[in-house]
Every structure is written in C-alpha cells, then in structure tokens.
C-alpha cells in the first residue's frame, strides 16, 4: 500500500476548464481551487485564442456558482404555476414521482412528452448526451433546436455544404474586415482582439449593423442599414462588382455553380435601389463595393445577429457568395466566418443514440413555436396535446418569442413540467419539479467551438454543491427508474466524453493538454474544395435554388397597414453583461446593466414626447413591455433597440422584450425572427 501525503493546509491547485456558454469564443479557463472551493477563474494564457482573457461575465463565474440563490436541493411546487413557491423534497421522492408521471404518459403516447433544451451549457456530455439517449429510448417528441442559429446554419450548408469558414486567428492578417450583424466587443470579444491587430497593421474595419454599437464606434465605417435588408445590400454590392468587373472570373468558373442565375438578379440592384431599401446613401453602397472589390485579403465576420429576420437564410447565402465572387478565399486571411462548428468530428450517433428509437418516428416540435404548441389540442396534424415538458439548459419563458403565449402554455394546470436548473428562473417558477443541476465547475465535459477550431476539456474542479447533480446523472437516474437497461445508460460521464470525437481527437490528449487544435488546411477553400458533392460553392443549390432578398414579415413594404399603427422596427440584441437570460440574477453584472433599456433616436423620441430616463411602454398587438427610455443616436431613425433578455420577474412589471416578438419563422432553418418586429412606444 502506498501512502499519499496529505496536501498541506490551504494549498491551491489549478484545474483546466472550458467556458460552457453559448458564445463563439469557448474560452479555455484555469480554475484555482483551495480547500475544495474555487477561489479564482482566469482565462488560460497558453490557449491561442483565449490569450489569458475572459469576459466580465465569466470572470465572475464563481459568483454564479456560489450564488446564495443557487437551487441546491430538489424542489416540488406548492404554489400556483408561476408563483415560485416550492418545498424541498428528497431526490428519491422527486425522481420516483417524475418517473411514474412520465411512465404513465408514455404508456399512452410518449410523443406527448417534449424535451426542451438549448445551450445553457454547450458541453457535449451535459448537453445532448445522456439526455438525448433518454428521450430517444422513451420515444418522446423530437425537438427542433432552432432558437439561435438554424437560419444561418442551413444557409451555410446550402452554399458551402457545412458550417465551416476561416480560422479565427487569420483575421489578424486581413486588410479589410466587414463585421456584419455582430457586436463583436459584446458577444465575440476574442475575435475583436484579432480585428484590433489587423487595424493596427492598417486594415480597414467596417461594421454593418442597424445599431451604432460599441463595435461600430471603433470601426472606420458604420453602415446603419434597416433590419432585415442585408440580402439587398449583398445584391447591391454584387451589382457594383459586376459593373466594375471586380470579379475573380477564374475562381467563379472553377469553384462555384449557378452564378449566371444570381448575376441576372444582382443586375436589378443598382446602388440607388439598394440604398432606398436598406435606408442608406447610394455612395455608402458604392464605396463599400469598391473597398471589397479592390482590397486583398478581405474577410467577413458574419454573425447570427443578421439572420433573425424572415429573410435571414437568404441573406446569409447572398453574403456567403461574396467571397467567392472576388476570390477572397485564395488567401488564408480572406473569406468568411459565420460558424466553425462543422469542422469538428463529433460522433453524434454515439453520443445521442438515435438508434434507440428503433422503428419509431416521433413527431418533431419546433422550440421556437413552443408558445403556440403548448396551447394546441390533439389533432391528426399535430398529434397528441403536449402533456409533459422536461426543460434543461434553457429558459424558454424568458427567451422564446411571443412570451404572452409561452407563459399561458406554461401556466396550464394539466401540463407536467420538470426543470433542471441552477436558479429559479422564470421557467423554473412554472415547474412541478425543479431539479438542482451542477455548474461547469462541478462536472466533467468536452467542448467544440463555433468561433474557433480547438476542442477543449472541462474537468470538474470541485464536488457538486448541496445535492446538485450533473444533467447526465439526473437522466441516468430517470432512465434506471423507467427500467431502461441498455448499457449506454450505465456509462459514466468520462465514458461518454471518450466517445465524443471518436478516434479523431483523443480524450487523453485533451486531458493532458487541455485542448487540441483541429488539423485543417490554412486557407481551406483556396482551391475550392467546399464540402458539397461537387466541391463547389452552390450559388444555385438543389432544393434551395438561387438566393434573393426576402422582405421582413413586418415592415413598411410588406405590411403597410400594420406599419401605420406600429411604425417602429424593434431589434433586441444581447446586453453585454448578460448571456441571453443567464447572469441577469448576478447582482454585480445586473448593476452594470442597470435597468431594461430601449434606445430611441432623438427624432423618434421627440415625435412621441418621450423623455430620456423615463419609463416607456413599448407595445404592439401581441403585448406590452415596460422599460427605461434612453434617447440615443445608437438607434437609427425608425428603429428602436430593446437591449437584453431580462428575466421577466427582474424586469419592470414582469415583462421583457419577448412580450412583443412573434413566432413566425425564417425562410430557411425554421428559426424565430426576433429582429423582425414592429412596435410603437409611448410615455408611460
Ligand atoms: N455578452 C454577450 N455575448 C453573447 C451573447 C449575449 O447574450 N451576451 N449571446 C451569445 C449568443 S447565444 C449568440 S447566438 C451570439 C450572437 O452573436 P452575434 O451573432 O455576433 O450577434 P450579436 O452580437 O448578438 O449582434 C447582433 C447584432 O446584430 C445587429 N442586428 C440586428 N438586426 C440586424 C440586421 O437585420 N442586420 C444586421 N446587419 N445587423 C443586425 C444588432 O444590432 C446587434 O448589434 O453571441 C453570444 N455572445
Ligand atoms: N428577443 C430576443 N430573444 C432571444 C434572443 C435575442 O437576441 N432577442 N436570442 C436568442 C438566442 S441567440 C438564444 S441562443 C436563446 C438562448 O436561450 P437559452 O439557451 O434558453 O439561454 P439562456 O437564457 O442563457 O438560458 C440557459 C439556462 O440554462 C441554465 N444552465 C446553464 N448551464 C446548465 C447546466 O449545466 N445544466 C442545467 N440544467 N442548466 C444549465 C442557465 O442557468 C440558464 O437559465 O435566446 C434567444 N432569444
Ligand atoms: Mo444564440
């Protein structure tokens, strides 16, 4: 027997972590632990893209983990739904009752049970690992996870064949960077580091965003177009590339298919028409086209902000065509990055075990229409009424569109709702059971990134707090109670993590180094080689056709009568110090954000008698949202910016921006059109 010396009292050790949040940066973290408690969280200085820096939010992750409002024991509802009154119960009581309730529903039709989850953690183990196995084995409804990126994701797949693009690091060498539909400083900070390096080396930065963001402030130019007109702008740029022959004919010929069809469409978009639709000056269109047509290498950092409108998918396809037209891909610092997630060799079949469905083909529920779907009755088209929801890694009552309907759905007395959470969110308030989940400091996971090309490990730094359990363990225990005896339900988190990348990225290498860089070509499409069947960029894609500008669901052009009553377009981009609805309850971050705000241009404010700093009522036919008015030129005329997804209960009069958004979907990807929303504003 070997004896191990006890560590000296108060010794510290450092554990490798990965930020779990839904953000392109997926930072490598170093977690310092003392006496079983995390005392410090830092960005890993050795990780190439983290470079030792974390954002304000995650630098405070310990504050989140040790928050005195953490849910640390299973809770059973005693009050009315939404009231938030619960009593503590044991794990056995909670899990026995949940298994019995779900089992009884499944005996009639398991499709009446719906999992509801998104990217509260992006981990492959605590995300759709054991959870997906559980729901597949059960035969529950499938969930179409569309709430964030599926319009752009489908668009990239149509054009390039997968969600792939430039390496983050190479932006530092670009001479021109278009930051398109992204507030990088707020939501993609580690990209901004590379953009800054390029700027110092003489590159021009252009921001394309209806809002004058902090990122726009620091770019050389800002094109404040109307929301939902990016497709028109891309067509207008193409018009100028054609007219001035700034095209790379050789690249187009060898590495694209369908250009003549799009070329004809683009010829109908001279700068004047483009400017009229986009709300820009024709010279802004001309000068951007000249810069893009004549500067090498030119890169586009497209991001998901611009695809949350009806035509978001077509717009992404149009923008994604631009680097092919000018041959920007020839250089490693040219091309486009929307997402890098498609580069990762994730073994989804092993993680999620769809084969456990057998011959069953359950219906699919779109998470973006959960408001309507919870209120639907049985019907041949819809299938059974939803009788049970199991929510994890998501806060739908705050984040899903058209919350008046979402709330009504969650308030149904005949709905059985289980929520796995860290906190009593708006969604947890509506649960029958709230089950305490571990945070990233308390569980093992492995991660990919959608903004860089490194796989990462997250080791458990400390033991779970209270009675919290990892999501994986909660589903493992539910599976056991329902008698699921396939060997995959007995696998440990480490066994699941070891399957995540198959043989491509070894778990032991992740454990040893903390991260592993994917082996990819430097300039992936310098000589074509897109992951499509032909290896070409599909400008005309079978089943998708040729992209075109698609007007918003709600706008002056498409719905003039509605626009007469609700003349302002509202976008609702993230608040810098929150991560969607996460961190709203971390006091230090909430105090930086202050209160829910609506930015209104001075001209629009004057026309309505709005006063800076006063409460306003923002409304349309769907609902009302109260917040503080900030009169500011960050808003363009005709557009108001409702910042951040506040918890309803921490907002004004229990409301947040999603009171106003609708459930109509995007052209591709079946996604919500959060930023395609007409409203009116009045003093309150
Ligand atoms: N601090 C912080 N970081 C985050 C998040 C957060 O909530 N807070 N959220 C994370 C998540 S889930 C995601 S998906 C990513 C999102 O990250 P990005 O896709 O980079 O999007 P955002 O920074 O949210 O930027 C959206 C920007 O798009 C602009 N915009 C709105 N409508 C349009 C339009 O029609 N056209 C154009 N061109 N621009 C438009 C908005 O004004 C806003 O500045 O960020 C992640 N990072
Ligand atoms: N109006 C408007 N609405 C929007 C957006 C917008 O820009 N405007 N953005 C949309 C976008 S891009 C997105 S991605 C969605 C985001 O929607 P969600 O994915 O629902 O994101 P969050 O609001 O951050 O909620 C995640 C929840 O998961 C919990 N969580 C975190 N880690 C774990 C874990 O390990 N286990 C368990 N059980 N729970 C965990 C957190 O405590 C948090 O409450 O919102 C969308 N909604
Ligand atoms: Mo997102």
């Amino acid at each position: 027997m070997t004896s191990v010396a006890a560590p000296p009292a108060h010794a510290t050790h450092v554990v490798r972590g990965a930020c779990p949040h839904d953000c392109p940066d997926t930072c490598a973290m170093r977690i310092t632990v003392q006496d079983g408690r995390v005392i410090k969280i830092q960005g890993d200085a050795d990780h190439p893209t983290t470079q030792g820096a974390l954002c304000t939010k995650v630098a405070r992750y310990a504050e989140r983990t040790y928050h005195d409002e953490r849910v640390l024991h299973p809770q059973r509802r005693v009050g009315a739904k939404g009231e938030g009154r619960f009593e503590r119960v044991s794990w056995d009581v909670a899990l026995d009752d949940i298994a019995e309730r779900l089992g009884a529903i499944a005996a009639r039709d398991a499709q009446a049970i719906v999992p509801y989850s998104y990217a509260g953690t992006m981990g492959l183990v605590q995300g759709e690992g054991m959870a997906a196995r559980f729901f597949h084995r059960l035969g529950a409804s499938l969930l179409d996870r569309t709430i964030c990126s599926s319009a752009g994701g489908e668009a990239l797949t149509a054009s390039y064949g997968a969600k792939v693009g430039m390496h983050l690091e190479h932006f530092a060498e670009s001479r021109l960077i278009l930051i398109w539909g992204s507030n990088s400083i707020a939501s993609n900070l580690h990209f901004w580091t590379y953009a800054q390096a390029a700027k110092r080396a003489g590159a021009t930065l252009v921001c394309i965003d209806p809002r004058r963001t902090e990122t726009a402030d620091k770019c050389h130019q800002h094109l404040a177009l109307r929301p939902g007109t990016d497709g028109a702008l891309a067509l207008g740029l193409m018009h100028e590339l054609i007219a001035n022959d700034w095209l790379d004919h050789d690249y187009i010929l060898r590495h694209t298919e369908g250009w003549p069809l799009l070329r004809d469409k683009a010829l109908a978009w001279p700068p004047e028409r483009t400017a009229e639709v986009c709300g820009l000056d024709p010279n802004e269109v001309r000068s951007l086209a000249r810069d893009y047509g004549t500067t090498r290498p030119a890169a586009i950092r497209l991001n998901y902000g611009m695809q949350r409108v009806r035509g978001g998918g077509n717009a992404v396809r149009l923008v994604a065509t631009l680097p092919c037209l000018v041959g920007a891909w020839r250089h490693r610092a040219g091309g486009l990055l929307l997402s890098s997630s498609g580069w990762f060799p994730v073994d989804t079949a092993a993680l999620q075990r769809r084969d456990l469905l057998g011959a069953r083909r359950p219906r699919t529920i779109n998470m973006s229409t959960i408001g309507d779907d919870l209120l639907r009755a049985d019907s041949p088209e819809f299938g059974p009424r939803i009788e049970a929801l199991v929510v994890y890694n998501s806060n739908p009552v705050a984040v899903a569109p058209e919350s008046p309907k979402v709330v009504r759905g969650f308030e149904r007395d005949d709905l059985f709702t289980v929520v796995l959470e860290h906190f009593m969110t708006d969604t947890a308030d509506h649960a029958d059971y709230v089950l305490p989940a571990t945070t990233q400091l308390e569980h093992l996971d492995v991660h990919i990134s959608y903004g860089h090309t490194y796989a990462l490990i997250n080791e458990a730094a400390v033991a779970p707090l209270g009675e919290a359990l990892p999501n994986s363990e909660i589903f493992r225990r539910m599976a056991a109670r329902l008698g699921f005896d396939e060997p995959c339900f007995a696998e440990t988190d480490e066994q699941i993590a070891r399957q995540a990348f198959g043989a491509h990225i070894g778990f032991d290498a992740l454990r040893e180094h903390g991260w592993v860089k994917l082996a990819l070509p430097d300039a992936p499409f310098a000589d074509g080689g897109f992951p499509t069947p032909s290896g070409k960029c599909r400008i005309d894609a079978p089943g998708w056709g040729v992209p075109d500008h698609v007007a918003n669901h709600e706008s002056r052009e498409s719905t003039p009568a509605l626009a007469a009553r609700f003349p302002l377009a509202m976008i609702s981009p993230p608040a810098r110090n929150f991560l969607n609805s996460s961190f709203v309850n971390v006091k230090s971050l909430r105090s930086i954000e202050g209160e829910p705000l609506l930015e209104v241009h001075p001209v629009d404010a004057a026309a309505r008698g709005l006063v800076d700093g006063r409460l306003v009522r923002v409304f349309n036919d769907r609902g009302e949202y109260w917040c503080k008015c900030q009169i500011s030129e960050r808003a363009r005329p005709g557009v108001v910016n409702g910042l951040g997804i506040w918890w309803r209960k921490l907002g004004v009069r229990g409301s947040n921006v999603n009171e106003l958004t609708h459930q109509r979907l995007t052209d591709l990807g079946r996604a919500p059109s959060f930023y395609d929303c007409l409203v009116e504003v009045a003093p309150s």
Side-chain angles (χ1 to χ4, degrees):
M1 208 176 105
T2 45
S3 67
V4 179
H10 310 301
T12 60
H13 67 282
V14 175
V15 179
R16 289 184 185 283
C19 174
H21 287 295
D22 186 352
C23 168
D25 296 19
T26 311
C27 293
M29 310 193 294
R30 296 184 80 86
I31 319 277
T32 307
V33 181
Q34 184 178 53
D35 298 334
R37 194 179 163 93
V38 172
I39 56 165
K40 195 159 57 176
I41 299 183
Q42 291 164 298
D44 196 321
D46 296 332
H47 183 260
T49 64
T50 306
Q51 297 181 9
L54 292 177
C55 67
T56 343
K57 306 175 293 297
V58 176
R60 317 228 172 149
Y61 197 81
E63 195 178 331
R64 188 170 193 279
T65 292
Y66 296 111
H67 197 295
D68 56 13
E69 289 164 9
R70 257 297 285 282
V71 179
L72 294 176
H73 307 279
Q75 304 287 322
R76 179 168 61 193
R77 181 168 61 86
V78 291
K81 290 205 171 183
E83 204 186 320
R85 282 203 297 127
F86 290 83
E87 63 179 1
R88 177 174 167 182
V89 293
S90 69
W91 270 111
D92 280 338
V93 165
L95 291 177
D96 285 347
D97 193 23
I98 294 167
E100 194 182 315
R101 301 280 297 262
L102 296 183
I105 298 170
R108 295 193 303 279
D109 186 347
Q111 296 179 99
I113 302 169
V114 177
Y116 196 98
S117 66
Y118 201 63
T121 168
M122 304 266 300
L124 297 178
V125 178
Q126 307 306 337
E128 305 313 319
M130 194 56 91
R133 295 175 180 185
F134 174 81
F135 291 109
H136 285 148
R137 174 67 177 76
L138 190 62
S141 287
L142 303 173
L143 186 72
D144 198 3
R145 294 187 170 77
T146 55
I147 203 150
C148 169
S149 61
S150 59
E154 183 176 334
L156 272 197
T157 304
S159 296
Y160 296 169
K163 292 164 84 172
V164 289
M166 286 173 63
H167 295 258
L168 173 61
E169 292 91 325
H170 297 163
F171 278 88
E173 300 158 20
S174 307
R175 302 293 302 162
L176 172 70
I177 305 179
L178 311 189
I179 301 177
W180 200 322
S182 178
N183 182 4
S184 316
I185 294 178
S187 53
N188 188 187
L189 190 60
H190 295 77
F191 158 77
W192 184 247
T193 311
Y194 294 98
Q196 289 287 92
K199 190 179 175 189
R200 281 195 300 274
T204 302
L205 307 189
V206 182
C207 179
I208 304 173
D209 192 314
R211 177 169 183 250
R212 183 158 191 104
T213 60
E214 53 268 57
T215 307
D217 285 339
K218 298 210 159 58
C219 288
H220 297 95
Q221 286 161 38
H222 172 215
L223 270 67
L225 79 184
R226 289 200 185 96
T229 61
D230 303 272
L233 179 59
L235 285 161
L237 296 178
M238 287 177 202
H239 179 280
E240 292 301 283
L241 298 178
I242 299 165
N244 296 286
D245 198 21
W246 288 320
L247 297 170
D248 184 333
H249 296 284
D250 174 63
Y251 196 95
I252 294 173
L253 191 69
R254 291 197 296 128
H255 304 310
T256 70
E257 50 200 19
W259 169 238
L261 299 168
L262 181 56
R263 186 179 183 279
D264 287 347
K265 289 192 188 190
L267 288 173
W269 287 88
E272 289 70 23
R273 178 182 176 205
T274 305
E276 164 68 24
V277 170
C278 299
L280 297 171
D281 187 294
N283 286 327
E284 290 180 294
V285 181
R286 285 195 193 93
S287 103
L288 180 62
R290 181 177 316 105
D291 286 345
Y292 191 67
T294 60
T295 313
R296 297 286 175 278
I300 301 177
R301 184 44 167 125
L302 192 63
N303 224 322
Y304 288 113
M306 50 76 70
Q307 45 103 66
R308 306 193 202 291
V309 291
R310 182 187 188 181
N314 271 272
V316 168
R317 289 197 63 204
L318 288 164
V319 177
T321 304
L322 292 168
C324 297
L325 300 183
V326 299
W329 287 112
R330 290 182 188 276
H331 194 291
R332 70 176 195 172
L336 173 142
L337 176 62
L338 170 59
S339 172
S340 56
S341 63
W343 290 124
F344 288 85
V346 178
D347 191 346
T348 309
L351 286 171
Q352 305 188 1
R353 296 294 306 270
R354 208 180 158 103
D355 60 295
L356 292 167
L357 282 172
R360 298 170 298 175
R361 289 291 169 268
R363 64 151 172 219
T364 298
I365 297 288
N366 185 339
M367 69 186 302
S368 303
T369 55
I370 193 66
D372 279 342
D373 290 343
L374 282 175
L375 299 173
R376 273 186 226 284
D378 284 25
S379 74
E381 308 76 56
F382 182 62
R385 182 167 169 82
I386 298 174
E387 290 181 61
L389 267 183
V390 182
V391 182
Y392 52 103
N393 301 339
S394 185
N395 183 12
V397 172
V399 306
E402 204 174 357
S403 29
K405 287 193 177 160
V406 180
V407 171
R408 263 169 55 211
F410 271 85
E411 281 173 352
R412 271 176 46 198
D413 271 326
D414 59 346
L415 180 73
F416 179 63
T417 305
V418 178
V419 176
L420 285 58
E421 251 302 346
H422 301 153
F423 294 106
M424 279 297 175
T425 60
D426 292 325
T427 304
D429 281 345
H430 290 82
D432 292 279
Y433 282 98
V434 182
L435 303 179
T438 46
T439 69
Q440 191 76 344
L441 303 181
E442 303 152 77
H443 56 228
L444 174 77
D445 220 324
V446 289
H447 286 256
I448 67 165
S449 163
Y450 62 97
H452 63 63
T453 42
Y454 300 80
L456 299 95
I457 193 169
N458 179 77
E459 302 273 11
V462 293
L465 271 62
E467 290 185 291
L469 292 175
N471 290 343
S472 55
E473 178 62 15
I474 299 175
F475 286 108
R476 208 178 272 121
R477 293 187 185 187
M478 285 204 233
R481 277 180 168 71
L482 284 165
F484 299 168
D485 54 10
E486 289 79 358
C488 71
F489 291 109
E491 285 175 5
T492 63
D493 285 4
E494 186 178 321
Q495 285 171 317
I496 300 173
R498 283 182 179 278
Q499 295 164 50
F501 303 111
H504 300 278
I505 301 172
F507 179 80
D508 294 320
L510 283 174
R511 186 152 257 181
E512 191 181 335
H513 305 294
W515 57 84
V516 171
K517 186 171 172 52
L518 298 179
L520 297 171
D522 226 22
F525 311 127
D527 195 22
F530 291 93
T532 56
S534 62
K536 297 183 178 192
C537 167
R538 296 183 291 204
I539 296 174
D540 181 11
W544 284 286
V546 181
D548 204 347
H549 171 57
V550 177
N552 276 2
H553 286 294
E554 302 190 345
S555 68
R556 283 187 321 186
E557 293 73 30
S558 43
T559 53
L562 190 74
R565 295 170 55 222
F566 305 112
L568 297 169
M570 183 188 78
I571 58 173
S572 46
R576 182 167 178 181
N577 296 288
F578 301 153
L579 196 292
N580 301 320
S581 78
S582 298
F583 296 99
V584 180
N585 61 325
V586 172
K587 286 188 198 79
S588 61
L589 293 170
R590 190 162 77 245
S591 62
I592 307 176
E593 284 300 324
E595 292 163 87
L597 285 182
L598 185 80
E599 292 171 346
V600 186
H601 188 270
V603 169
D604 292 322
R608 291 165 177 79
L610 307 181
V611 179
D612 188 64
R614 291 270 180 84
L615 205 62
V616 286
R617 186 170 70 96
V618 195
F619 60 99
N620 58 24
D621 285 336
R622 293 177 286 270
E624 298 178 307
Y625 169 48
W626 281 271
C627 58
K628 202 165 93 175
C629 175
Q630 188 157 78
I631 299 180
S632 163
E633 296 200 350
R634 290 203 180 280
R636 58 158 286 153
V639 179
V640 291
N641 310 324
L643 299 180
I645 317 178
W646 282 70
W647 283 15
R648 295 161 56 87
K649 61 182 169 186
L650 297 177
V652 184
R653 299 183 200 173
S655 68
N656 80 8
V657 272
N658 281 320
E659 285 287 307
L660 306 169
T661 53
H662 57 76
Q663 300 176 66
R664 274 167 285 167
L665 303 178
T666 50
D667 53 352
L668 302 181
R670 309 162 304 282
S673 359
F674 288 114
Y675 301 170
D676 176 343
C677 175
L678 290 178
V679 302
E680 181 53 295
V681 185
S684 137

